[in-house]
Amino acid sequence: MKIEQYRLIEKSRIKEFLNKLISIYNVVAPVEKGFNNFAFEQIRTADEVRLNYIPTILPPKKYFLPKKETILEFELGDELKVEPVTEYENLVLFGVHTCDIAGIKCLNMVLSDRPKDTAYLIRKKHITIIGIECNNYCDDYASCSFVGAHIPTTGYDLMFTELSEHFIVHVHSSKGMEIVEKTEMFKGADQNTIEELKILRNNKLKVFNNEIPTERRYIPDLFDRSFNATVWQELESKCLSCGNCTAVCPTCYCFDIKEDVELSLKRGERYRVWFSCQLDPFAKVAGGIDFRRERSARQRHRFYRKFRYHIDRYGMIFCTGCGRCSRTCMAGINLKEVLTSLIRESEAKIWRKWL
Amino acid sequence: MSKPKVAFFDFACCEGCQLQVANLGEMVLDLIDIVDIVEFREVMSEKWDGEFDVSFIEGSITDEHAVERVKKIREKSKILVALGSCATIGGVNGMKNSFNLEEAGRYVYGEAYKFFPTIHTKAVHQVVRVDYFINGCPIYQPEFLTVLKCILKGLPYYVPEYPVCVECKLNENVCMYDRGLTCMGPVTKAGCNSWCINNGNICYGCRGLTINPNSQGFKDVLKKFGIPEDFLMKKIEMYNKCKELDES
Ligand code: SF4
Ligand code: SF4
Ligand code: SF4
Ligand code: SF4
Ligand code: SF4
């Protein structure tokens, strides 16, 4: 911890800071939607912002990879005119949890791989991320400690951590520094507050337990043994294929491409819109053949897509432990429980081999 | 090129879907720029006895007269569109099919029921070939326009095969299950942009079941939320009773 990278702001002045931020930037932050639901929305005053919130309905991904995004506009005439479009906006995201920052890091990995997603990369440049560290679990659905996303590491411009009197702020980029300078509300950190931060982080090791009864490094092996696990069959009867678990996941990036014309039938646009492997038409091809008709196969794909395939390709687990998929599933399919069942079943098999 | 001749016909229904078209507001002006509306009882009294390029059929088929009439319209129409739940899936009129026909007749018309012969309610495609389906009770205006544009461009329109939840999540609504309510969204075809939920209502399933619904799983969910099964079946049947005719 380099003390010169840290700044302090009194906790009582956080609203003042937010209002100042709003006066300079377009600020997006978590707001309350009722029934313990939250959403990232553009805010007009600090009063709308909730600093204590459980993961929002949709992750902040929606600003990086919009739900619906125009990619080109066309004009149909004697000659076809086509114009590629990139939509972006300068935004400051305030109050992003470390799990969601991990999600954005996953997207960065995939979308800067070839073929590069230029629109995404342009948008990313225009977005500033101000994180807020969780000192406690949001709720029981979280498994961020299992994947190591509960402690801030990288992927943000500023990171706020709540101490007794202050927020201690880690300045992690020049964009972050710019905010510190423009708002003029921060002072340098002192040795005491750095000590307090160290104690807090140590304490977090006790507060945050490994939520899944295995270690992260055993995950590839576990999944290599689990392709025919009975859990998938259980999901076959439970899952409604509603696609909620993938819609809310910060590391899902599948999309469909569609076109629409104006009523004049002369001008139109091509756009992409989020899509999901859980949905019936996803793996359907010409002739009506569906490569993944069974719900069990679709659910299995979702789990392998989070915990196995990307380890080979990117060396990363593509689950941030945010718990959104479990929270949103009206059928009660719970990621922690599915992983635990896989572990139990696989252990039983290994024992049988030895006996 | 002359504009395509378009007509609207109503069968057993509340005409709410035609009303949605009539209520397109300024868009109606754009509409009559590209099509020639030759019959539309909701807004005009003219009639046309030639051929139709596009016929919209609203309502379900509930007696022999209707069967004959819709067959004649089919013969005279290049393209035939089922408009609204009554037409696409039988809709609320399908509830009649849960009863003995005579009993239903007596309930509505008393002893005079014999003068009103009736048949099992049918969706339009259960009587004649249908080229395009616009689901919903009532139809969702933007989807109506999308389908119309597809027709005029000679493109197919695919009713989404995924459930309403997909659109609902994109709209970032608080899920009805979190509010302690139940919702037909998970088993109902999308395409309405989760219109009802956006406006604080549950999904009633008016667009019909998805192509491959997990009905048992859905029953289990509702059981978990304390909903009795027969109540659920009534909910599903409110719009979907005619589906049985497809299956038999
Ligand atoms: S999953 Fe972990 S990092 Fe994410 S909000 Fe919950 S406690 Fe915070
Ligand atoms: S949210 Fe639940 S029911 Fe819906 S697709 Fe995902 S696992 Fe299946
Ligand atoms: S799989 Fe579930 S817990 Fe993991 S990142 Fe996606 S939504 Fe969050
Ligand atoms: S589908 Fe609904 S709104 Fe349309 S005509 Fe039938 S009952 Fe009326
Ligand atoms: S409110 Fe209804 S449609 Fe929306 S996600 Fe929940 S169950 Fe699905």
Side-chain angles (χ1 to χ4, degrees), chain B residues 199-212:
Chain B
N199 288 288
N201 222 327
I202 60 159
C203 168
Y204 293 96
C206 80
R207 299 175 54 84
L209 295 176
T210 47
I211 50 158
N212 179 22

Side-chain angles (χ1 to χ4, degrees), chain A residues 33-35 37-40 56-58 62 67 76 236-242 244 247-248 258 260-263 265 273-275 279-281 284 293 295 298 328 330-332, chain B residues 27 30-31 34 145-146 148-149 152-153 160-163 165-166 169-175 177-180 186-187 210-221 224-225:
Chain A
K33 303 299 278 183
F35 302 90
N37 278 252
F38 299 85
F40 278 99
T56 46
I57 304 175
L58 295 179
K62 65 181 181 181
K67 296 172 267 182
L76 305 160
E236 171 78 29
S237 56
K238 272 177 99 176
C239 174
L240 307 181
S241 301
C242 70
N244 280 355
V248 301
K258 299 184 180 180
D260 197 10
V261 286
E262 288 175 6
L263 209 44
L265 306 182
V273 49
W274 291 359
F275 205 38
L279 306 178
D280 265 293
K284 223 184 222 179
R293 199 178 146 72
R295 279 176 263 272
R298 291 185 226 162
T328 195
M330 70 284 278
Chain B
M27 238 78 90
D30 294 334
L31 201 69
I34 51 171
L145 292 172
T146 304
L148 182 69
K149 288 182 280 191
L152 297 177
K153 287 241 150 261
E161 290 174 337
Y162 46 78
C165 293
V166 174
K169 270 287 160 292
L170 293 198
N171 289 317
E172 213 166 0
N173 292 315
V174 173
C175 180
Y177 287 90
D178 281 359
R179 294 175 189 258
V187 289
T210 47
I211 50 158
N212 179 22
N214 181 359
S215 303
Q216 189 51 48
F218 189 55
K219 282 181 198 161
D220 292 344
V221 169
K224 211 176 64 200
F225 281 83

Side-chain angles (χ1 to χ4, degrees), chain A residues 296-312:
Chain A
S296 50
R298 291 185 226 162
Q299 278 294 313
R300 178 173 62 197
H301 178 75
R302 174 165 79 93
F303 277 89
Y304 274 76
R305 161 63 181 67
K306 304 293 158 196
F307 292 100
R308 189 63 192 94
Y309 301 144
H310 288 59
I311 294 183
D312 281 346

Side-chain angles (χ1 to χ4, degrees), chain A residues 122-231:
Chain A
I122 292 175
R123 255 192 310 274
K124 181 167 101 69
K125 268 199 197 135
H126 288 83
I127 300 178
T128 306
I129 299 174
I130 305 182
I132 189 155
E133 180 170 2
C134 299
N135 295 349
N136 285 297
Y137 274 122
C138 49
D139 63 17
D140 282 345
Y141 291 110
S143 56
C144 50
S145 151
F146 175 63
V147 296
H150 62 315
I151 304 262
T153 50
T154 55
Y156 52 83
D157 299 289
L158 292 175
M159 175 58 68
F160 280 54
T161 305
E162 186 177 350
L163 302 178
S164 54
E165 311 274 305
H166 296 95
F167 277 102
I168 185 161
V169 179
H170 185 213
V171 184
H172 201 44
S173 74
S174 52
K175 275 202 269 179
M177 198 58 192
E178 186 193 295
I179 289 178
V180 167
E181 281 165 2
K182 278 197 179 162
T183 51
E184 297 177 320
M185 290 184 65
F186 296 85
K187 59 180 186 202
D190 50 34
Q191 208 49 54
N192 284 345
T193 42
I194 291 285
E195 272 317 303
E196 210 188 327
L197 179 61
K198 277 187 188 154
I199 293 168
L200 183 139
R201 290 276 164 80
N202 260 332
N203 199 33
K204 265 182 91 167
L205 297 178
K206 275 175 252 152
V207 176
F208 285 75
N209 298 297
N210 188 9
E211 305 88 356
I212 317 280
T214 187
E215 280 174 45
R216 215 183 313 157
R217 61 194 164 114
Y218 297 134
I219 280 288
D221 275 351
L222 173 68
F223 273 79
D224 287 344
R225 284 195 300 270
S226 298
F227 204 73
N228 295 315
T230 53
V231 186

Side-chain angles (χ1 to χ4, degrees), chain B residues 11-14 57-62 82-97 120-127 130 133-137 189 205-209 236-246:
Chain B
F11 287 76
C13 66
C14 77
I57 308 291
E58 181 199 36
S60 28
I61 310 302
T62 54
L83 184 71
S85 297
C86 298
T88 50
I89 59 171
V92 286
N93 303 315
M95 282 193 276
K96 181 174 70 174
N97 298 0
H120 278 121
T121 302
K122 290 185 172 109
V124 176
H125 73 272
Q126 290 166 336
V127 181
V130 171
F133 292 85
I134 306 179
N135 293 78
C137 176
K189 276 187 212 111
C206 80
R207 299 175 54 84
L209 295 176
I236 293 187
E237 282 176 9
M238 183 159 121
Y239 279 104
N240 291 290
K241 189 69 188 169
C242 287
K243 200 173 184 342
E244 287 165 12
L245 296 173
D246 280 338

